[in-house]
Amino acid sequence: HSVRHGVGSDARIGTRFLYAGPGYGGSCFPKDVTALVHTGRDNDVELDLAVATDRVNQRQKGVLVRKLRKKLGGDLRGRKIAVWGIAFKPKTDDIRESPALTLIDAVLADGGIIAAHDPIAADNARNLYNDKSNISIVDDEYDAAKDADALVLVTEWRPYQSPDFEKLKEVMKQPYIVDGRNIWSTYHLKQLGFDYEGIGVIGK
């Protein structure tokens, strides 16, 4: 947060797009960055900044599952992970290149179990994973969290801004939260009995 405010204090940059998170997605920007890199190489120009942007984003998309593995003993086999938010950003049903897909695929590959919720993009996720086992896309976010070993917030939908944390603690198997958007970093969740991790922040 301090870096964001420091860099964003320059009016030429601003703070609007400097939020920490699990990487960018969507149908346009990732494709455009890749196309820019290929265009440069076709013309014998190595666009180092664009190459680094793509490389860093791919690494950042794995930050959520890395946190889960570290906290849960390195093995997600049989672990239930609740995912809140599947769309690559709020107010869309577009799940293309979403960081949530990277997380879901990694958990499933590890033998884990996914229960996910999204206010709008649920049907697209169901269509994508209709042939996969160990994953359910549910209609209620608290149903997703039931008996979960961890809750991971990926998309900062408004309905997720102020959940019923007491209810969450009751339904979860263990009260471990990974906040991929830092929307709960000031909510004093540790005082409420949660084990909380954000992205580059220490929760209160």
Side-chain angles (χ1 to χ4, degrees):
H1 288 309
S2 298
V3 172
R4 172 177 173 266
H5 287 296
V7 174
S9 64
D10 187 328
R12 296 167 298 178
I13 300 172
T15 60
R16 186 176 178 187
F17 298 107
L18 293 180
Y19 292 97
Y24 60 78
S27 62
C28 296
F29 194 54
K31 179 181 64 179
D32 291 345
V33 172
T34 301
L36 184 61
V37 171
H38 287 307
T39 299
R41 288 174 177 168
D42 288 343
N43 291 277
D44 298 320
V45 177
E46 189 69 10
L47 300 175
D48 293 337
L49 181 58
V51 172
T53 298
D54 181 63
R55 183 173 64 249
V56 169
N57 187 57
Q58 294 305 319
R59 184 175 69 233
Q60 188 65 10
K61 282 186 173 183
V63 68
L64 300 176
V65 75
R66 288 195 297 271
K67 287 180 177 292
L68 291 174
R69 288 170 179 155
K70 183 177 180 180
K71 177 65 179 180
L72 300 176
D75 185 5
L76 300 181
R77 185 172 301 278
R79 300 281 196 170
K80 180 179 178 181
I81 308 301
V83 177
W84 281 10
I86 308 171
F88 84 94
K89 67 177 183 178
K91 300 181 181 179
T92 182
D93 66 353
D94 193 346
I95 64 174
R96 287 173 290 183
E97 300 291 332
S98 172
L101 304 187
T102 303
L103 169 65
I104 290 170
D105 291 344
V107 171
L108 294 178
D110 280 5
I113 302 164
I114 290 287
H117 175 269
D118 190 282
I120 294 179
D123 285 342
N124 286 341
R126 289 187 184 103
N127 291 334
L128 179 64
Y129 290 106
N130 63 356
D131 61 341
K132 297 286 187 180
S133 58
N134 291 335
I135 178 170
S136 57
I137 313 298
V138 300
D139 294 325
D140 182 272
E141 59 265 44
Y142 297 99
D143 287 343
K146 186 177 180 180
D147 297 324
D149 292 285
L151 166 63
V152 184
L153 181 130
V154 186
T155 314
E156 66 277 32
W157 285 100
R158 184 169 293 278
Y160 301 154
Q161 296 283 335
S162 299
D164 185 337
F165 287 109
E166 288 298 329
K167 183 176 181 179
L168 268 180
K169 193 163 63 171
E170 289 176 5
V171 301
M172 292 180 70
K173 184 176 180 180
Q174 53 180 308
Y176 172 46
I177 288 178
V178 179
D179 179 0
R181 301 293 179 175
N182 294 338
I183 66 172
W184 301 325
S185 62
T186 62
Y187 280 39
H188 302 282
L189 294 187
K190 291 185 177 180
Q191 295 181 18
L192 295 178
F194 286 91
D195 192 347
Y196 172 89
E197 287 192 72
I199 305 294
V201 300
I202 300 174
K204 296 181 180 180

Short mmCIF file of all heavy atoms in Angstrom, two decimals, residues 33-99:
data_model
loop_
_atom_site.label_atom_id
_atom_site.label_comp_id
_atom_site.label_asym_id
_atom_site.label_seq_id
_atom_site.Cartn_x
_atom_site.Cartn_y
_atom_site.Cartn_z
N VAL A 33 -0.75 -8.03 -25.14
CA VAL A 33 0.65 -8.06 -24.72
C VAL A 33 1.42 -9.12 -25.49
O VAL A 33 2.53 -8.88 -25.99
CB VAL A 33 0.76 -8.31 -23.19
CG1 VAL A 33 2.22 -8.53 -22.80
CG2 VAL A 33 0.18 -7.13 -22.42
N THR A 34 0.84 -10.30 -25.64
CA THR A 34 1.48 -11.38 -26.39
C THR A 34 1.67 -10.98 -27.85
O THR A 34 2.74 -11.22 -28.43
CB THR A 34 0.64 -12.66 -26.30
OG1 THR A 34 0.50 -13.05 -24.93
CG2 THR A 34 1.30 -13.80 -27.06
N ALA A 35 0.66 -10.36 -28.43
CA ALA A 35 0.76 -9.92 -29.83
C ALA A 35 1.85 -8.87 -30.00
O ALA A 35 2.58 -8.88 -31.01
CB ALA A 35 -0.60 -9.37 -30.29
N LEU A 36 1.97 -7.99 -29.02
CA LEU A 36 3.00 -6.96 -29.08
C LEU A 36 4.39 -7.58 -29.06
O LEU A 36 5.29 -7.18 -29.82
CB LEU A 36 2.83 -5.99 -27.90
CG LEU A 36 3.77 -4.79 -27.84
CD1 LEU A 36 3.59 -3.89 -29.06
CD2 LEU A 36 3.51 -3.99 -26.57
N VAL A 37 4.58 -8.58 -28.21
CA VAL A 37 5.87 -9.28 -28.14
C VAL A 37 6.19 -9.94 -29.48
O VAL A 37 7.31 -9.81 -30.00
CB VAL A 37 5.86 -10.33 -27.02
CG1 VAL A 37 7.11 -11.21 -27.09
CG2 VAL A 37 5.77 -9.66 -25.66
N HIS A 38 5.20 -10.63 -30.07
CA HIS A 38 5.44 -11.32 -31.34
C HIS A 38 5.69 -10.33 -32.48
O HIS A 38 6.54 -10.57 -33.35
CB HIS A 38 4.24 -12.21 -31.68
CG HIS A 38 4.15 -13.44 -30.83
ND1 HIS A 38 5.20 -14.33 -30.68
CD2 HIS A 38 3.13 -13.94 -30.08
CE1 HIS A 38 4.84 -15.32 -29.89
NE2 HIS A 38 3.59 -15.10 -29.50
N THR A 39 4.97 -9.21 -32.46
CA THR A 39 5.19 -8.19 -33.49
C THR A 39 6.60 -7.65 -33.42
O THR A 39 7.28 -7.45 -34.45
CB THR A 39 4.17 -7.04 -33.34
OG1 THR A 39 2.85 -7.55 -33.51
CG2 THR A 39 4.42 -5.96 -34.39
N GLY A 40 7.06 -7.41 -32.21
CA GLY A 40 8.44 -6.95 -32.05
C GLY A 40 9.44 -7.95 -32.56
O GLY A 40 10.39 -7.60 -33.29
N ARG A 41 9.25 -9.22 -32.23
CA ARG A 41 10.19 -10.25 -32.67
C ARG A 41 10.16 -10.45 -34.17
O ARG A 41 11.18 -10.74 -34.79
CB ARG A 41 9.89 -11.55 -31.93
CG ARG A 41 10.30 -11.50 -30.47
CD ARG A 41 9.87 -12.71 -29.67
NE ARG A 41 10.36 -12.62 -28.29
CZ ARG A 41 9.96 -13.41 -27.30
NH1 ARG A 41 9.05 -14.36 -27.54
NH2 ARG A 41 10.45 -13.25 -26.08
N ASP A 42 8.97 -10.29 -34.78
CA ASP A 42 8.87 -10.38 -36.23
C ASP A 42 9.68 -9.30 -36.92
O ASP A 42 10.07 -9.43 -38.09
CB ASP A 42 7.40 -10.28 -36.67
CG ASP A 42 6.61 -11.53 -36.32
OD1 ASP A 42 7.24 -12.58 -36.04
OD2 ASP A 42 5.36 -11.46 -36.33
N ASN A 43 9.92 -8.22 -36.18
CA ASN A 43 10.69 -7.10 -36.72
C ASN A 43 12.06 -6.98 -36.06
O ASN A 43 12.68 -5.90 -36.06
CB ASN A 43 9.90 -5.80 -36.54
CG ASN A 43 8.66 -5.74 -37.41
OD1 ASN A 43 8.73 -5.38 -38.58
ND2 ASN A 43 7.51 -6.11 -36.86
N ASP A 44 12.51 -8.09 -35.49
CA ASP A 44 13.84 -8.17 -34.86
C ASP A 44 14.04 -7.17 -33.73
O ASP A 44 15.13 -6.62 -33.53
CB ASP A 44 14.95 -7.97 -35.93
CG ASP A 44 14.93 -9.06 -36.98
OD1 ASP A 44 14.70 -10.24 -36.61
OD2 ASP A 44 15.11 -8.75 -38.17
N VAL A 45 12.97 -6.91 -32.99
CA VAL A 45 13.04 -6.03 -31.83
C VAL A 45 12.53 -6.80 -30.62
O VAL A 45 11.41 -7.32 -30.64
CB VAL A 45 12.18 -4.76 -32.02
CG1 VAL A 45 12.23 -3.90 -30.76
CG2 VAL A 45 12.67 -3.97 -33.23
N GLU A 46 13.36 -6.89 -29.59
CA GLU A 46 12.95 -7.57 -28.36
C GLU A 46 12.37 -6.52 -27.41
O GLU A 46 13.10 -5.66 -26.89
CB GLU A 46 14.14 -8.27 -27.71
CG GLU A 46 13.76 -9.16 -26.55
CD GLU A 46 12.97 -10.41 -26.95
OE1 GLU A 46 12.87 -10.70 -28.16
OE2 GLU A 46 12.45 -11.09 -26.05
N LEU A 47 11.07 -6.58 -27.21
CA LEU A 47 10.38 -5.62 -26.35
C LEU A 47 10.45 -6.12 -24.92
O LEU A 47 9.53 -6.79 -24.42
CB LEU A 47 8.94 -5.43 -26.82
CG LEU A 47 8.80 -4.91 -28.26
CD1 LEU A 47 7.33 -4.88 -28.69
CD2 LEU A 47 9.40 -3.52 -28.38
N ASP A 48 11.55 -5.80 -24.26
CA ASP A 48 11.84 -6.38 -22.95
C ASP A 48 10.77 -6.08 -21.92
O ASP A 48 10.43 -6.94 -21.08
CB ASP A 48 13.20 -5.87 -22.44
CG ASP A 48 14.36 -6.37 -23.28
OD1 ASP A 48 14.19 -7.41 -23.94
OD2 ASP A 48 15.42 -5.73 -23.26
N LEU A 49 10.22 -4.87 -21.95
CA LEU A 49 9.21 -4.51 -20.95
C LEU A 49 7.94 -5.34 -21.14
O LEU A 49 7.36 -5.84 -20.16
CB LEU A 49 8.88 -3.02 -21.04
CG LEU A 49 7.86 -2.50 -20.03
CD1 LEU A 49 8.32 -2.76 -18.60
CD2 LEU A 49 7.60 -1.01 -20.24
N ALA A 50 7.51 -5.53 -22.38
CA ALA A 50 6.31 -6.33 -22.64
C ALA A 50 6.55 -7.79 -22.28
O ALA A 50 5.68 -8.45 -21.71
CB ALA A 50 5.91 -6.21 -24.11
N VAL A 51 7.74 -8.31 -22.60
CA VAL A 51 8.09 -9.69 -22.25
C VAL A 51 8.06 -9.87 -20.74
O VAL A 51 7.50 -10.84 -20.21
CB VAL A 51 9.47 -10.06 -22.81
CG1 VAL A 51 9.92 -11.42 -22.28
CG2 VAL A 51 9.44 -10.08 -24.33
N ALA A 52 8.66 -8.91 -20.02
CA ALA A 52 8.70 -9.00 -18.56
C ALA A 52 7.31 -8.87 -17.96
O ALA A 52 6.98 -9.54 -16.99
CB ALA A 52 9.61 -7.91 -18.00
N THR A 53 6.46 -8.02 -18.55
CA THR A 53 5.10 -7.85 -18.07
C THR A 53 4.34 -9.17 -18.13
O THR A 53 3.67 -9.58 -17.17
CB THR A 53 4.36 -6.79 -18.90
OG1 THR A 53 5.02 -5.53 -18.75
CG2 THR A 53 2.91 -6.65 -18.45
N ASP A 54 4.46 -9.87 -19.26
CA ASP A 54 3.78 -11.16 -19.41
C ASP A 54 4.35 -12.20 -18.45
O ASP A 54 3.59 -12.95 -17.82
CB ASP A 54 3.90 -11.64 -20.85
CG ASP A 54 3.19 -12.96 -21.08
OD1 ASP A 54 1.96 -13.01 -20.91
OD2 ASP A 54 3.87 -13.95 -21.40
N ARG A 55 5.66 -12.23 -18.32
CA ARG A 55 6.30 -13.22 -17.45
C ARG A 55 5.91 -13.00 -15.99
O ARG A 55 5.57 -13.96 -15.28
CB ARG A 55 7.83 -13.15 -17.61
CG ARG A 55 8.57 -14.20 -16.78
CD ARG A 55 10.05 -14.20 -17.08
NE ARG A 55 10.69 -12.95 -16.71
CZ ARG A 55 11.18 -12.07 -17.59
NH1 ARG A 55 11.09 -12.29 -18.89
NH2 ARG A 55 11.74 -10.95 -17.16
N VAL A 56 5.93 -11.76 -15.55
CA VAL A 56 5.56 -11.46 -14.17
C VAL A 56 4.09 -11.79 -13.93
O VAL A 56 3.72 -12.32 -12.88
CB VAL A 56 5.85 -9.99 -13.84
CG1 VAL A 56 5.22 -9.59 -12.51
CG2 VAL A 56 7.35 -9.74 -13.81
N ASN A 57 3.23 -11.50 -14.90
CA ASN A 57 1.81 -11.79 -14.72
C ASN A 57 1.57 -13.29 -14.62
O ASN A 57 0.76 -13.73 -13.78
CB ASN A 57 1.00 -11.22 -15.89
CG ASN A 57 -0.49 -11.34 -15.66
OD1 ASN A 57 -1.02 -10.85 -14.68
ND2 ASN A 57 -1.17 -12.03 -16.57
N GLN A 58 2.24 -14.08 -15.44
CA GLN A 58 2.07 -15.53 -15.35
C GLN A 58 2.52 -16.05 -13.99
O GLN A 58 1.86 -16.92 -13.40
CB GLN A 58 2.86 -16.22 -16.47
CG GLN A 58 2.35 -15.92 -17.86
CD GLN A 58 0.87 -16.24 -18.04
OE1 GLN A 58 0.37 -17.25 -17.56
NE2 GLN A 58 0.15 -15.35 -18.73
N ARG A 59 3.61 -15.50 -13.47
CA ARG A 59 4.08 -15.92 -12.15
C ARG A 59 3.10 -15.48 -11.06
O ARG A 59 2.80 -16.23 -10.14
CB ARG A 59 5.46 -15.35 -11.88
CG ARG A 59 6.07 -15.82 -10.54
CD ARG A 59 7.48 -15.32 -10.37
NE ARG A 59 7.54 -13.89 -10.18
CZ ARG A 59 8.30 -13.07 -10.90
NH1 ARG A 59 9.06 -13.54 -11.87
NH2 ARG A 59 8.31 -11.77 -10.66
N GLN A 60 2.58 -14.26 -11.20
CA GLN A 60 1.67 -13.74 -10.18
C GLN A 60 0.37 -14.52 -10.12
O GLN A 60 -0.24 -14.65 -9.05
CB GLN A 60 1.39 -12.26 -10.43
CG GLN A 60 0.62 -11.56 -9.33
CD GLN A 60 1.40 -11.48 -8.02
OE1 GLN A 60 2.60 -11.78 -7.97
NE2 GLN A 60 0.74 -11.08 -6.95
N LYS A 61 -0.06 -15.06 -11.24
CA LYS A 61 -1.29 -15.85 -11.25
C LYS A 61 -1.18 -17.10 -10.37
O LYS A 61 -2.20 -17.66 -9.96
CB LYS A 61 -1.66 -16.26 -12.68
CG LYS A 61 -2.31 -15.15 -13.49
CD LYS A 61 -2.77 -15.68 -14.84
CE LYS A 61 -3.57 -14.65 -15.60
NZ LYS A 61 -4.09 -15.20 -16.88
N GLY A 62 0.04 -17.51 -10.08
CA GLY A 62 0.24 -18.67 -9.22
C GLY A 62 0.38 -18.34 -7.75
O GLY A 62 0.55 -19.25 -6.93
N VAL A 63 0.27 -17.06 -7.39
CA VAL A 63 0.53 -16.66 -6.00
C VAL A 63 -0.49 -17.26 -5.04
O VAL A 63 -0.16 -17.62 -3.90
CB VAL A 63 0.57 -15.12 -5.88
CG1 VAL A 63 -0.81 -14.51 -6.12
CG2 VAL A 63 1.10 -14.70 -4.52
N LEU A 64 -1.73 -17.40 -5.47
CA LEU A 64 -2.77 -17.88 -4.56
C LEU A 64 -2.57 -19.34 -4.21
O LEU A 64 -2.66 -19.73 -3.03
CB LEU A 64 -4.16 -17.67 -5.20
CG LEU A 64 -4.51 -16.22 -5.52
CD1 LEU A 64 -5.84 -16.14 -6.24
CD2 LEU A 64 -4.52 -15.36 -4.26
N VAL A 65 -2.30 -20.17 -5.20
CA VAL A 65 -2.10 -21.59 -4.90
C VAL A 65 -0.79 -21.81 -4.15
O VAL A 65 -0.70 -22.72 -3.31
CB VAL A 65 -2.16 -22.45 -6.18
CG1 VAL A 65 -0.90 -22.30 -7.03
CG2 VAL A 65 -2.38 -23.93 -5.83
N ARG A 66 0.19 -20.97 -4.39
CA ARG A 66 1.44 -21.09 -3.61
C ARG A 66 1.18 -20.82 -2.14
O ARG A 66 1.74 -21.49 -1.26
CB ARG A 66 2.52 -20.15 -4.16
CG ARG A 66 3.09 -20.58 -5.50
CD ARG A 66 4.38 -19.84 -5.84
NE ARG A 66 4.20 -18.41 -5.97
CZ ARG A 66 3.88 -17.79 -7.11
NH1 ARG A 66 3.69 -18.50 -8.21
NH2 ARG A 66 3.77 -16.47 -7.16
N LYS A 67 0.35 -19.82 -1.85
CA LYS A 67 0.00 -19.55 -0.45
C LYS A 67 -0.73 -20.72 0.17
O LYS A 67 -0.48 -21.09 1.33
CB LYS A 67 -0.85 -18.27 -0.37
CG LYS A 67 -0.08 -16.97 -0.60
CD LYS A 67 -1.00 -15.77 -0.51
CE LYS A 67 -0.22 -14.47 -0.68
NZ LYS A 67 0.68 -14.21 0.46
N LEU A 68 -1.65 -21.33 -0.58
CA LEU A 68 -2.40 -22.47 -0.07
C LEU A 68 -1.48 -23.64 0.24
O LEU A 68 -1.58 -24.27 1.30
CB LEU A 68 -3.46 -22.90 -1.09
CG LEU A 68 -4.63 -21.96 -1.32
CD1 LEU A 68 -5.50 -22.47 -2.46
CD2 LEU A 68 -5.47 -21.79 -0.05
N ARG A 69 -0.59 -23.94 -0.68
CA ARG A 69 0.32 -25.07 -0.48
C ARG A 69 1.21 -24.85 0.74
O ARG A 69 1.44 -25.76 1.53
CB ARG A 69 1.17 -25.28 -1.73
CG ARG A 69 0.40 -25.86 -2.91
CD ARG A 69 1.23 -25.80 -4.17
NE ARG A 69 0.55 -26.38 -5.32
CZ ARG A 69 0.81 -26.05 -6.58
NH1 ARG A 69 1.74 -25.13 -6.84
NH2 ARG A 69 0.14 -26.61 -7.57
N LYS A 70 1.70 -23.63 0.88
CA LYS A 70 2.58 -23.34 2.01
C LYS A 70 1.84 -23.48 3.33
O LYS A 70 2.35 -24.06 4.29
CB LYS A 70 3.15 -21.92 1.87
CG LYS A 70 4.13 -21.55 2.97
CD LYS A 70 4.71 -20.16 2.73
CE LYS A 70 5.69 -19.78 3.84
NZ LYS A 70 6.27 -18.43 3.61
N LYS A 71 0.61 -22.98 3.38
CA LYS A 71 -0.15 -23.01 4.62
C LYS A 71 -0.66 -24.40 4.95
O LYS A 71 -0.70 -24.81 6.13
CB LYS A 71 -1.32 -22.03 4.52
CG LYS A 71 -2.23 -22.02 5.74
CD LYS A 71 -1.50 -21.51 6.97
CE LYS A 71 -2.42 -21.48 8.17
NZ LYS A 71 -1.73 -20.99 9.39
N LEU A 72 -1.06 -25.14 3.93
CA LEU A 72 -1.71 -26.43 4.15
C LEU A 72 -0.76 -27.61 4.01
O LEU A 72 -1.18 -28.73 3.73
CB LEU A 72 -2.90 -26.58 3.18
CG LEU A 72 -3.99 -25.51 3.34
CD1 LEU A 72 -5.07 -25.69 2.28
CD2 LEU A 72 -4.60 -25.54 4.73
N GLY A 73 0.53 -27.36 4.19
CA GLY A 73 1.49 -28.45 4.25
C GLY A 73 2.02 -28.93 2.92
O GLY A 73 2.61 -30.02 2.85
N GLY A 74 1.80 -28.15 1.87
CA GLY A 74 2.36 -28.49 0.57
C GLY A 74 1.54 -29.48 -0.24
O GLY A 74 1.83 -29.71 -1.42
N ASP A 75 0.54 -30.07 0.35
CA ASP A 75 -0.26 -31.09 -0.33
C ASP A 75 -1.73 -30.71 -0.24
O ASP A 75 -2.29 -30.65 0.85
CB ASP A 75 -0.01 -32.46 0.31
CG ASP A 75 -0.73 -33.58 -0.42
OD1 ASP A 75 -1.34 -33.31 -1.47
OD2 ASP A 75 -0.67 -34.73 0.06
N LEU A 76 -2.36 -30.47 -1.38
CA LEU A 76 -3.77 -30.08 -1.39
C LEU A 76 -4.69 -31.27 -1.67
O LEU A 76 -5.90 -31.08 -1.80
CB LEU A 76 -4.00 -28.99 -2.44
CG LEU A 76 -3.21 -27.68 -2.25
CD1 LEU A 76 -3.55 -26.69 -3.33
CD2 LEU A 76 -3.48 -27.08 -0.85
N ARG A 77 -4.13 -32.45 -1.73
CA ARG A 77 -4.96 -33.62 -2.01
C ARG A 77 -6.03 -33.79 -0.93
O ARG A 77 -5.73 -33.84 0.26
CB ARG A 77 -4.10 -34.88 -2.08
CG ARG A 77 -4.86 -36.15 -2.50
CD ARG A 77 -3.91 -37.30 -2.73
NE ARG A 77 -2.95 -36.97 -3.76
CZ ARG A 77 -3.19 -37.06 -5.08
NH1 ARG A 77 -4.39 -37.48 -5.49
NH2 ARG A 77 -2.28 -36.75 -5.95
N GLY A 78 -7.27 -33.85 -1.37
CA GLY A 78 -8.39 -34.00 -0.44
C GLY A 78 -8.80 -32.74 0.28
O GLY A 78 -9.79 -32.74 1.03
N ARG A 79 -8.09 -31.65 0.07
CA ARG A 79 -8.44 -30.39 0.71
C ARG A 79 -9.55 -29.69 -0.08
O ARG A 79 -9.51 -29.63 -1.32
CB ARG A 79 -7.23 -29.47 0.77
CG ARG A 79 -6.05 -30.03 1.55
CD ARG A 79 -6.26 -29.89 3.04
NE ARG A 79 -5.02 -30.06 3.78
CZ ARG A 79 -4.86 -29.80 5.06
NH1 ARG A 79 -5.88 -29.35 5.76
NH2 ARG A 79 -3.70 -29.98 5.66
N LYS A 80 -10.51 -29.14 0.63
CA LYS A 80 -11.57 -28.39 -0.03
C LYS A 80 -11.23 -26.91 0.00
O LYS A 80 -11.02 -26.33 1.07
CB LYS A 80 -12.92 -28.62 0.63
CG LYS A 80 -14.05 -27.84 -0.06
CD LYS A 80 -15.41 -28.08 0.58
CE LYS A 80 -16.47 -27.23 -0.12
NZ LYS A 80 -17.81 -27.41 0.50
N ILE A 81 -11.20 -26.31 -1.18
CA ILE A 81 -10.89 -24.89 -1.31
C ILE A 81 -12.11 -24.16 -1.86
O ILE A 81 -12.62 -24.51 -2.93
CB ILE A 81 -9.69 -24.66 -2.26
CG1 ILE A 81 -8.49 -25.53 -1.84
CG2 ILE A 81 -9.33 -23.18 -2.30
CD1 ILE A 81 -7.99 -25.29 -0.44
N ALA A 82 -12.59 -23.19 -1.12
CA ALA A 82 -13.70 -22.35 -1.58
C ALA A 82 -13.14 -21.17 -2.36
O ALA A 82 -12.16 -20.54 -1.94
CB ALA A 82 -14.51 -21.85 -0.39
N VAL A 83 -13.74 -20.88 -3.50
CA VAL A 83 -13.30 -19.77 -4.35
C VAL A 83 -14.46 -18.81 -4.52
O VAL A 83 -15.54 -19.19 -4.97
CB VAL A 83 -12.83 -20.28 -5.73
CG1 VAL A 83 -12.45 -19.10 -6.63
CG2 VAL A 83 -11.66 -21.24 -5.58
N TRP A 84 -14.22 -17.57 -4.14
CA TRP A 84 -15.21 -16.51 -4.35
C TRP A 84 -14.75 -15.63 -5.50
O TRP A 84 -13.73 -14.94 -5.39
CB TRP A 84 -15.38 -15.67 -3.09
CG TRP A 84 -16.25 -16.31 -2.04
CD1 TRP A 84 -16.71 -17.59 -2.01
CD2 TRP A 84 -16.77 -15.68 -0.86
NE1 TRP A 84 -17.47 -17.81 -0.90
CE2 TRP A 84 -17.53 -16.65 -0.16
CE3 TRP A 84 -16.66 -14.41 -0.32
CZ2 TRP A 84 -18.17 -16.37 1.04
CZ3 TRP A 84 -17.30 -14.13 0.89
CH2 TRP A 84 -18.06 -15.10 1.55
N GLY A 85 -15.47 -15.68 -6.59
CA GLY A 85 -15.15 -14.88 -7.77
C GLY A 85 -14.42 -15.68 -8.82
O GLY A 85 -13.34 -16.21 -8.56
N ILE A 86 -15.02 -15.80 -10.00
CA ILE A 86 -14.41 -16.54 -11.11
C ILE A 86 -14.14 -15.62 -12.30
O ILE A 86 -13.16 -15.80 -13.02
CB ILE A 86 -15.31 -17.71 -11.54
CG1 ILE A 86 -15.69 -18.57 -10.34
CG2 ILE A 86 -14.62 -18.57 -12.59
CD1 ILE A 86 -16.75 -19.62 -10.62
N ALA A 87 -14.97 -14.62 -12.50
CA ALA A 87 -14.75 -13.65 -13.58
C ALA A 87 -13.42 -12.93 -13.38
O ALA A 87 -12.94 -12.77 -12.26
CB ALA A 87 -15.89 -12.64 -13.62
N PHE A 88 -12.84 -12.45 -14.49
CA PHE A 88 -11.52 -11.82 -14.37
C PHE A 88 -11.59 -10.45 -13.71
O PHE A 88 -10.58 -9.93 -13.23
CB PHE A 88 -10.83 -11.73 -15.73
CG PHE A 88 -11.21 -10.55 -16.58
CD1 PHE A 88 -10.46 -9.38 -16.56
CD2 PHE A 88 -12.32 -10.62 -17.43
CE1 PHE A 88 -10.80 -8.29 -17.36
CE2 PHE A 88 -12.67 -9.54 -18.23
CZ PHE A 88 -11.91 -8.37 -18.19
N LYS A 89 -12.81 -9.88 -13.67
CA LYS A 89 -13.03 -8.62 -12.96
C LYS A 89 -14.50 -8.54 -12.62
O LYS A 89 -15.33 -9.27 -13.19
CB LYS A 89 -12.60 -7.41 -13.79
CG LYS A 89 -13.45 -7.18 -15.03
CD LYS A 89 -13.01 -5.92 -15.77
CE LYS A 89 -13.93 -5.65 -16.97
NZ LYS A 89 -13.53 -4.38 -17.66
N PRO A 90 -14.90 -7.65 -11.70
CA PRO A 90 -16.33 -7.51 -11.39
C PRO A 90 -17.12 -6.97 -12.58
O PRO A 90 -16.58 -6.39 -13.52
CB PRO A 90 -16.33 -6.51 -10.23
CG PRO A 90 -14.94 -6.53 -9.68
CD PRO A 90 -14.06 -6.81 -10.84
N LYS A 91 -18.43 -7.16 -12.51
CA LYS A 91 -19.38 -6.62 -13.48
C LYS A 91 -19.22 -7.21 -14.87
O LYS A 91 -19.49 -6.54 -15.87
CB LYS A 91 -19.31 -5.09 -13.53
CG LYS A 91 -19.62 -4.41 -12.21
CD LYS A 91 -19.56 -2.90 -12.33
CE LYS A 91 -19.86 -2.23 -10.99
NZ LYS A 91 -19.79 -0.75 -11.07
N THR A 92 -18.76 -8.46 -14.95
CA THR A 92 -18.68 -9.17 -16.22
C THR A 92 -18.82 -10.65 -15.97
O THR A 92 -18.55 -11.12 -14.85
CB THR A 92 -17.35 -8.88 -16.95
OG1 THR A 92 -17.35 -9.56 -18.21
CG2 THR A 92 -16.17 -9.37 -16.12
N ASP A 93 -19.25 -11.38 -17.00
CA ASP A 93 -19.27 -12.85 -16.89
C ASP A 93 -18.10 -13.46 -17.64
O ASP A 93 -18.04 -14.67 -17.84
CB ASP A 93 -20.60 -13.41 -17.41
CG ASP A 93 -20.80 -13.19 -18.91
OD1 ASP A 93 -19.97 -12.48 -19.54
OD2 ASP A 93 -21.78 -13.73 -19.46
N ASP A 94 -17.15 -12.64 -18.05
CA ASP A 94 -15.99 -13.10 -18.83
C ASP A 94 -14.98 -13.77 -17.90
O ASP A 94 -14.47 -13.15 -16.97
CB ASP A 94 -15.34 -11.90 -19.54
CG ASP A 94 -14.34 -12.31 -20.60
OD1 ASP A 94 -13.95 -13.50 -20.62
OD2 ASP A 94 -13.93 -11.45 -21.39
N ILE A 95 -14.71 -15.03 -18.14
CA ILE A 95 -13.75 -15.76 -17.32
C ILE A 95 -12.45 -16.05 -18.07
O ILE A 95 -11.55 -16.70 -17.52
CB ILE A 95 -14.35 -17.08 -16.79
CG1 ILE A 95 -14.66 -18.04 -17.95
CG2 ILE A 95 -15.59 -16.81 -15.96
CD1 ILE A 95 -15.12 -19.41 -17.50
N ARG A 96 -12.33 -15.56 -19.29
CA ARG A 96 -11.14 -15.85 -20.08
C ARG A 96 -9.88 -15.29 -19.43
O ARG A 96 -9.84 -14.14 -19.03
CB ARG A 96 -11.31 -15.28 -21.50
CG ARG A 96 -12.28 -16.06 -22.36
CD ARG A 96 -12.55 -15.38 -23.68
NE ARG A 96 -13.34 -14.15 -23.50
CZ ARG A 96 -13.76 -13.40 -24.52
NH1 ARG A 96 -13.46 -13.73 -25.76
NH2 ARG A 96 -14.47 -12.31 -24.28
N GLU A 97 -8.89 -16.15 -19.29
CA GLU A 97 -7.59 -15.78 -18.70
C GLU A 97 -7.72 -15.32 -17.26
O GLU A 97 -6.81 -14.66 -16.73
CB GLU A 97 -6.90 -14.69 -19.54
CG GLU A 97 -6.60 -15.06 -20.96
CD GLU A 97 -5.51 -16.13 -21.08
OE1 GLU A 97 -4.66 -16.19 -20.19
OE2 GLU A 97 -5.53 -16.88 -22.07
N SER A 98 -8.81 -15.65 -16.60
CA SER A 98 -9.00 -15.20 -15.21
C SER A 98 -8.01 -15.89 -14.28
O SER A 98 -7.75 -17.09 -14.41
CB SER A 98 -10.42 -15.52 -14.75
OG SER A 98 -10.56 -15.28 -13.36
N PRO A 99 -7.46 -15.14 -13.32
CA PRO A 99 -6.59 -15.77 -12.31
C PRO A 99 -7.30 -16.89 -11.54
O PRO A 99 -6.65 -17.80 -11.05
CB PRO A 99 -6.23 -14.61 -11.39
CG PRO A 99 -6.37 -13.39 -12.23
CD PRO A 99 -7.51 -13.68 -13.17
#
